[in-house]
Amino acid sequence: MSAYNIEDFRKVTTHRLSEMKQRGEKISMLTAYDYTMANILDLSGIDVILVGDSASNVMAGNITTLPMTLEHMIYHGASVMKGVKRALVIVDMPFGSYQGNSTLALASAIRIMKETGADCLKLEGGEEIIESVRRILSAGIPVMGHLGLTPQSINKFGTYNVRAREEEEAQKLIKDAHLLEEAGCFGLVLEKIPAVLGAQVTKELKIPVIGIGAGSEVDGQVLVAHDMLGLTGKEFSPRFLRRYADLSSAMTKAFEQYILDVKTGNFPDEREQY
Ligand code: KIV
């Protein structure tokens, strides 16, 4: 597999994402929650790094994303920012920091921006949170929307199944997508929806649409880095997930060899001591 030749080393901005959509260049996006992963991703040439609240599952071992707090997201966001020079960094606003209260939403947004140095924020939902989106945008903070499967609403949905298969839900999603664009969002994530719906929304909107399980006709793709690296358990195998490595096996092998070397006195050897 040959690497994509990055020719433009300037900082990625929301404006540049819009230009990429206009010229039909696909946008690459992956998650990171810490300095080391963010630095490797940035040096690999990724366009966008998402400090996702999926840190709740991946980093903290929670079943849902709901336990994440502002402090957690600020910690992860600030760690990621230290490792990034080029990529656009988006931080997820955590559950409870913006829903149903636009004053709280603005205060939460300002804290994340001030304390992480991130470029922009992502919020889940459409019409229900539009007041919060508008308020945050009014402070000059770029916002990305997130529709379809929105994990912070898992208790309402009840399952992680594909969303918007039914006409009524698909129509609401299209309406919400336009609402977010009209409010001034710079981009939109569509999660786990039929590919035809992903294609339709992408065609109708001027802002870039990034898919995760939303088909190939969107403007870019996002995956959870730990999933595509094969670090997370194989029991999580949605159709949209392509595993590019089996790091879990590689790590297990390295750990087992280390344990053996320590137990047998093979580590450290003469060159590894003072
Ligand atoms: O939190 C996250 O990682 C996300 C992606 C799945 C889009 O929101």
Side-chain angles (χ1 to χ4, degrees):
M1 204 187 332
S2 65
Y4 181 74
N5 189 16
I6 305 288
E7 285 167 354
D8 196 339
F9 294 96
R10 286 175 303 157
K11 168 82 184 166
V12 179
T13 60
T14 57
H15 180 69
R16 284 188 58 205
L17 293 189
S18 159
E19 289 176 344
M20 286 165 83
K21 171 159 185 152
Q22 280 164 36
R23 64 171 179 266
E25 179 183 342
K26 296 277 189 184
I27 297 163
S28 61
M29 173 163 153
L30 284 167
T31 56
Y33 319 114
D34 66 275
Y35 165 81
T36 303
M37 182 78 90
N39 191 238
I40 297 170
L41 270 175
D42 196 47
L43 293 173
S44 304
I46 198 83
D47 295 314
V48 184
I49 293 178
L50 171 66
V51 185
D53 62 354
S54 51
S56 182
N57 314 92
V58 178
M59 294 279 107
N62 295 316
I63 291 168
T64 72
T65 57
L66 273 63
M68 291 308 271
T69 64
L70 259 188
E71 283 70 25
H72 293 143
M73 294 311 299
I74 288 168
Y75 171 79
H76 289 296
S79 307
V80 163
M81 283 309 291
K82 290 186 194 125
V84 176
K85 284 201 174 83
R86 177 182 176 271
L88 181 83
V89 178
I90 305 173
V91 176
D92 262 345
M93 291 193 69
F95 177 68
S97 71
Y98 61 93
Q99 292 95 339
N101 182 340
S102 65
T103 307
L104 171 72
L106 180 59
S108 309
I110 288 175
R111 260 202 78 192
I112 299 176
M113 295 301 283
K114 267 188 188 291
E115 295 179 39
T116 65
D119 301 306
C120 30
L121 303 174
K122 177 165 80 60
L123 281 70
E124 295 181 8
E127 196 183 357
E128 317 76 29
I129 58 143
I130 202 70
E131 236 182 270
S132 295
V133 169
R134 290 201 183 105
R135 194 89 184 258
I136 296 168
L137 284 164
S138 75
I141 300 170
V143 172
M144 174 170 251
H146 182 156
L147 298 171
L149 178 65
T150 45
Q152 291 180 14
S153 305
I154 187 58
N155 291 321
K156 185 175 85 181
F157 296 147
T159 78
Y160 285 97
N161 290 346
V162 178
R163 304 301 315 172
R165 278 197 195 278
E166 306 299 327
E167 185 59 18
E168 197 181 332
E169 194 180 340
Q171 286 309 320
K172 173 166 166 39
L173 186 146
I174 294 166
K175 200 171 148 214
D176 280 343
H178 282 283
L179 203 60
L180 290 166
E181 176 171 75
E182 281 152 25
C185 286
F186 74 86
L188 177 66
V189 164
L190 290 180
E191 181 166 351
K192 221 171 176 187
I193 60 165
V196 282
L197 182 58
Q200 183 184 342
V201 173
T202 305
K203 224 168 153 189
E204 289 185 15
L205 296 195
K206 289 188 190 69
I207 57 174
V209 175
I210 313 293
I212 172 163
S216 58
E217 300 304 307
V218 289
D219 301 307
Q221 299 291 334
V222 57
L223 285 174
V224 169
H226 287 67
D227 292 338
M228 58 83 80
L229 290 172
L231 281 166
T232 42
K234 293 210 169 58
E235 60 281 358
F236 179 66
S237 274
R239 190 194 290 201
F240 64 76
L241 174 58
R242 186 183 293 182
R243 290 190 198 276
Y244 285 80
D246 184 7
L247 291 196
S248 173
S249 299
M251 286 171 74
T252 304
K253 219 170 138 200
F255 294 150
E256 285 174 353
Q257 186 62 49
Y258 170 78
I259 293 164
L260 185 68
D261 286 349
V262 170
K263 297 282 185 191
T264 57
N266 193 33
F267 174 79
D269 66 17
E270 272 172 31
R271 286 162 304 154
E272 290 161 332
Q273 43 193 308
Y274 301 98

